[in-house]
């Protein structure tokens, strides 16, 4: 420690980046801790999983982001412990990190809700590695099917969860099957393959306006997706999903997009946790009885004002926390976090998306889709990534092709 106020930020997601950037001119030293050396643009993970984009299109090196920020350092390591009394963070590498202020922005992990078989027999979609695993699994399944004279349900897919991730995944898979794999594998019965979306509540995109939810479901059905709503999942076996009503959906690929819970780091604080294991915070996003500890984004919840687990609360929360740290250093009181709802969006594929904007404005169809494209390009980090994604989208749109469908060599 060199005597300057040290801020340790756990997590380099949307919230963590905004905290560090917001403190660029502050008289503090910052250490960013993340298990990976890159920031992931999670809203486009499904496009990696469906071969529309490659991994380096949606990921950006953390050190590159903070290369010119002299008061920021990066430690690539997993957090193994947090001691609030001693004000230290222990990681898998190096000595414990001492902190004056701690910001926890570690996000979420996939949650199986205690349903039997989910962990062992489904493919989650929460990380770059998850997205690549889904893409490789689908492509490998098709390759194996070319040697199989009796093809059953191997090419079928069940997507569990009808939120934005599940809807976008189902729509992306439909385009991949219909526009690309049908042509790549002319000897396989690709047109007979079933893609099924299962949602426990009575409609998909349950947080959206009902008219947009209905529009999204109708579009999915028009594009060949079997949509099952109002039916919880009872269990998952190898190659099959058992529904509460007794139906059994057999499939070679089962994607789990049904829910998340706070990352394990939340439990390391030893403070009170809310629903989904989220860290309970006050109105200024600090942890009660620990004013020098903040939690933001998906890993945090203010019980009096719960916010959706999407990018904007993390982005705005990160900016807010950076300001509060500076206010405390100046001897001022912290302020209440004032969240501005900027709306919600979900795409169902080519020329189709739904968007719910502030002021009650609703967009759908091609206009909603263009708005979705523009917003996601805007929030991507790095000019190279924006250019790559734009070129890939243009190529996919004009050629009906998906370029990112290479299988990595293995020792098998």
């Amino acid at each position: 420690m060199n005597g300057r106020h040290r801020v340790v930020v756990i997590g380099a997601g949307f919230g963590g980046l905004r905290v560090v950037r917001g403190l660029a001119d502050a008289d503090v030293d910052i250490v960013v801790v993340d298990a990976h050396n890159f920031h992931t643009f999670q809203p486009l993970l499904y496009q990696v999983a469906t071969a529309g984009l490659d991994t380096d299109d949606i990921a950006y090196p953390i050190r590159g982001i903070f290369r010119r920020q002299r008061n920021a350092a990066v430690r690539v390591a997993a957090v193994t412990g947090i001691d609030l009394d001693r004000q230290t963070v222990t990681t898998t590498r190096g000595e414990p990190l001492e902190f004056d202020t701690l910001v926890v922005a570690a996000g979420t992990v996939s949650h199986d809700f205690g349903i039997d078989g989910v962990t062992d027999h489904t493919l989650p979609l929460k990380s770059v590695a998850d997205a690549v695993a889904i893409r490789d699994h689908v492509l490998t399944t098709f390759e194996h099917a070319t040697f199989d004279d009796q093809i059953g349900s191997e090419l079928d897919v069940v997507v569990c969860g009808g939120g934005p991730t599940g809807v976008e995944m189902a729509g992306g898979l439909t385009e991949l099957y219909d526009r690309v794999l049908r042509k790549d594998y002319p000897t396989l019965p690709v047109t007979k393959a079933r893609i099924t979306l299962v949602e426990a509540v009575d409609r998909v995109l349950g947080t959206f306006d009902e008219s947009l939810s209905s529009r999204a479901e109708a579009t999915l059905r028009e594009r060949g997706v079997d949509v099952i709503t109002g039916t919880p999942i009872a269990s998952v076996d190898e190659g099959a999903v058992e529904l509460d009503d007794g139906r059994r959906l057999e499939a070679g690929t089962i994607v789990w997009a049904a829910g998340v819970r706070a990352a394990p780091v939340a439990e390391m604080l030893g403070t009170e946790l809310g629903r989904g294991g989220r860290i309970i915070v006050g109105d200024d996003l600090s942890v009660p009885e620990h004013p020098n500890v903040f939690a933001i984004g998906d890993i945090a919840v203010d019980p009096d004002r719960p916010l959706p687990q999407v990018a904007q609360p993390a982005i705005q929360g990160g900016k807010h926390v950076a300001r509060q740290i500076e206010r405390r250093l100046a001897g001022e009181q912290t302020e209440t976090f004032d969240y501005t709802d900027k709306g919600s969006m979900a795409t169902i594929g080519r020329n189709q998306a739904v968007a719910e904007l502030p002021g009650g404005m609703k967009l759908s169809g091609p206009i909603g889709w263009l708005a979705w494209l523009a917003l996601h390009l805007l929030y991507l980090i790095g000019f190279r990534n924006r250019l790559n994604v734009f070129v890939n989208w243009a190529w996919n749109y004009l050629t009906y092709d998906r370029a990112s469908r290479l299988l990595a060599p293995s020792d098998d």
Side-chain angles (χ1 to χ4, degrees), residues 178-192:
D178 182 56
R179 304 294 187 181
V180 181
L181 299 183
R182 178 173 57 85
K183 299 173 183 176
D184 281 357
Y185 301 90
T187 62
L188 297 181
V190 180
T191 56
K192 296 180 180 179

Side-chain angles (χ1 to χ4, degrees), residues 105-255:
T108 58
V109 294
S110 184
H111 186 23
D112 63 9
F113 297 106
I115 299 173
D116 186 44
V118 168
T119 301
D120 294 330
H121 303 304
T122 69
L123 297 165
L125 184 57
K126 281 297 297 176
S127 68
V128 168
D130 291 341
V132 172
I134 292 172
R135 183 185 68 191
D136 286 358
H137 177 84
V138 170
L139 295 175
T140 300
T141 298
F142 270 78
E143 291 297 337
H144 288 171
T146 61
F147 295 95
D148 190 351
D149 295 331
Q150 300 293 325
I151 298 175
S153 60
E154 291 88 345
L155 303 184
D156 294 348
V157 181
V158 175
V159 178
C160 306
T165 300
V167 167
E168 291 175 343
M169 189 68 199
L173 282 168
T174 300
E175 288 193 349
L176 176 65
Y177 271 48
D178 182 56
R179 304 294 187 181
V180 181
L181 299 183
R182 178 173 57 85
K183 299 173 183 176
D184 281 357
Y185 301 90
T187 62
L188 297 181
V190 180
T191 56
K192 296 180 180 179
R194 296 180 60 189
I195 297 176
T196 305
L197 177 68
V198 180
E199 170 54 48
V201 300
D202 60 359
R203 61 189 177 97
V204 300
L205 299 180
T207 59
F208 284 63
D209 180 85
E210 191 168 350
S211 63
L212 295 178
S213 173
S214 298
R215 175 67 181 265
E217 181 173 333
T219 302
L220 286 170
R221 292 186 185 277
E222 288 170 4
R223 298 192 172 191
V225 178
D226 294 333
V227 181
I228 299 174
T229 57
T231 309
I233 293 170
S235 64
V236 182
D237 299 327
E238 185 174 0
V241 175
E242 297 280 355
L243 302 184
D244 240 14
D245 61 7
R247 277 181 288 178
R248 179 181 174 87
L249 307 175
E250 296 187 351
T253 302
I254 303 172
V255 178

Side-chain angles (χ1 to χ4, degrees), residues 398-412:
L398 294 173
T399 66
Y400 292 87
D401 198 8
R402 300 287 177 98
S404 302
R405 55 184 194 277
L406 304 182
L407 281 170
S410 67
D411 295 330
D412 297 338

